[in-house]
Amino acid sequence: MTTMTLALAMLGILPTVDDAVPAVRNWIQRNVSGVVTVDPVPLKDDAMEGDPLGFRAVALHFREFPVQMMPPAPLAPRSVFLVDRQERVRLLKKREELDELYKSAKPTFATAELAAKFAAAFLVVSREFSQDGFFKFEKPQVQPVSDGKADLSLRGVAAVVEQAGDKGALTVNFHFDGIEGGGYRLVGLKSSDDILPGVRPVCQSTLLLDPNPVVRRMAERDLLVMGEACLPYLQEQREKVSPELQKEIDRVVARIKRGER
């Protein structure tokens, strides 16, 4: 999409994010030759209300653990689609493409509050490029670094919920120039990511009947630490194993659902 397309989209009435999903599915049918077995997921967040980005955002993630699912071209393991008011779709495969899109478009905002809302929504989309299927994120936080009559600088942070060893945050610094007559124009942004993953499924379920009791305890502990995020993995593994191992998986699933850690 061109800079002009982005500007027009921000002025128009956008489809709801749920309405954007069929547009993404149609794009996939037209542009992807391989079979896509995962569904696009609309990005819903309080920060997205009011169309601050000028687009609806839809994510498509392929499983990364315990065995990575390779996406067919031109998709990436972590893809984001932006859908405008005319249901035109743009595929983004990495965070740098999102950054460059808005740095080139230079969208304008009537007030500092609207600029901050844009920054929060931007974080919601950008953090998807760090998502491996297990991270949970805190509510995006946006704070002014400087707020002068001529310009505005904001610092946005999307922090990871610290659980199962996950830690870190996505940080984006935004700079806006003041516009004569009022308002602000985005003229620069810089993203940095120090997000680190904790425990992930690496076939711990297959070790629940290991002869070594220490290995069994370690495998079960990892599964409990991951909690409900690993339930799809356990269900998938359950369909492949012996009745004895199914019984052990069922026991661990019950502990997870009781909230044991």
Side-chain angles (χ1 to χ4, degrees):
M1 294 175 184
T2 65
T3 299
M4 180 60 71
T5 300
L6 175 58
L8 290 174
M10 296 184 73
L11 293 174
I13 298 175
L14 292 166
T16 67
V17 70
D18 290 318
D19 292 339
V21 171
V24 171
R25 291 196 183 109
N26 290 336
W27 186 96
I28 291 172
Q29 290 179 352
R30 294 194 308 269
N31 295 281
V32 179
S33 57
V35 177
V36 177
T37 58
V38 293
D39 289 326
V41 177
L43 296 185
K44 297 181 179 180
D45 190 277
D46 291 345
M48 307 293 281
E49 294 180 2
D51 310 324
L53 292 175
F55 292 102
R56 296 300 190 181
V58 177
L60 184 70
H61 291 288
F62 289 82
R63 185 185 63 197
E64 299 183 38
F65 299 97
V67 178
Q68 186 170 16
M69 182 186 296
M70 298 306 296
L75 301 174
R78 306 169 186 177
S79 297
V80 171
F81 297 88
L82 299 181
V83 183
D84 70 9
R85 65 187 177 89
Q86 296 177 324
E87 296 191 354
R88 290 174 295 195
V89 177
R90 183 186 184 111
L91 167 65
L92 303 177
K93 297 190 285 186
K94 54 185 179 180
R95 176 172 290 125
E96 291 78 8
E97 294 174 344
L98 178 68
D99 292 357
E100 288 302 320
L101 173 64
Y102 284 94
K103 283 194 289 187
S104 298
K106 295 181 171 56
T108 60
F109 305 91
T111 65
E113 289 76 14
L114 289 174
K117 187 169 179 62
F118 158 79
F122 184 95
L123 287 165
V124 170
V125 176
S126 186
R127 71 190 184 190
E128 289 298 307
F129 294 107
S130 298
Q131 181 59 265
D132 66 4
F134 286 84
F135 287 115
K136 292 183 179 180
F137 287 90
E138 304 281 2
K139 181 179 178 180
Q141 300 295 317
V142 178
Q143 299 294 333
V145 178
S146 67
D147 186 0
K149 292 183 179 179
D151 60 12
L152 170 68
S153 293
L154 301 174
R155 181 174 184 266
V157 178
V160 167
V161 174
E162 294 191 2
Q163 61 178 18
D166 296 345
K167 60 183 179 179
L170 165 67
T171 301
V172 184
N173 291 300
F174 303 86
H175 185 73
F176 305 80
D177 278 351
I179 301 174
E180 185 176 354
Y184 299 92
R185 182 186 305 278
L186 179 70
V187 293
L189 63 88
K190 184 176 182 181
S191 301
S192 61
D193 177 351
D194 64 356
I195 294 173
L196 296 174
V199 182
R200 296 294 185 266
V202 287
C203 291
Q204 289 95 334
S205 68
T206 63
L207 302 175
L208 292 173
L209 289 178
D210 192 273
N212 187 329
V214 175
V215 172
R216 294 199 303 269
R217 287 197 298 271
M218 292 176 64
E220 186 164 341
R221 181 200 61 192
D222 283 356
L223 293 169
L224 291 174
V225 166
M226 284 185 281
E228 293 188 358
C230 74
L231 291 180
Y233 154 71
L234 290 173
Q235 180 59 40
E236 181 179 290
Q237 293 300 309
R238 189 185 186 281
E239 297 172 358
K240 304 176 182 178
V241 300
S242 67
E244 292 79 12
L245 189 49
Q246 285 181 350
K247 185 179 294 185
E248 282 300 294
I249 290 174
D250 291 344
R251 182 181 60 80
V252 173
V253 167
R255 293 190 67 188
I256 291 172
K257 289 183 176 180
R258 289 196 298 267
E260 297 184 35
R261 296 292 182 269

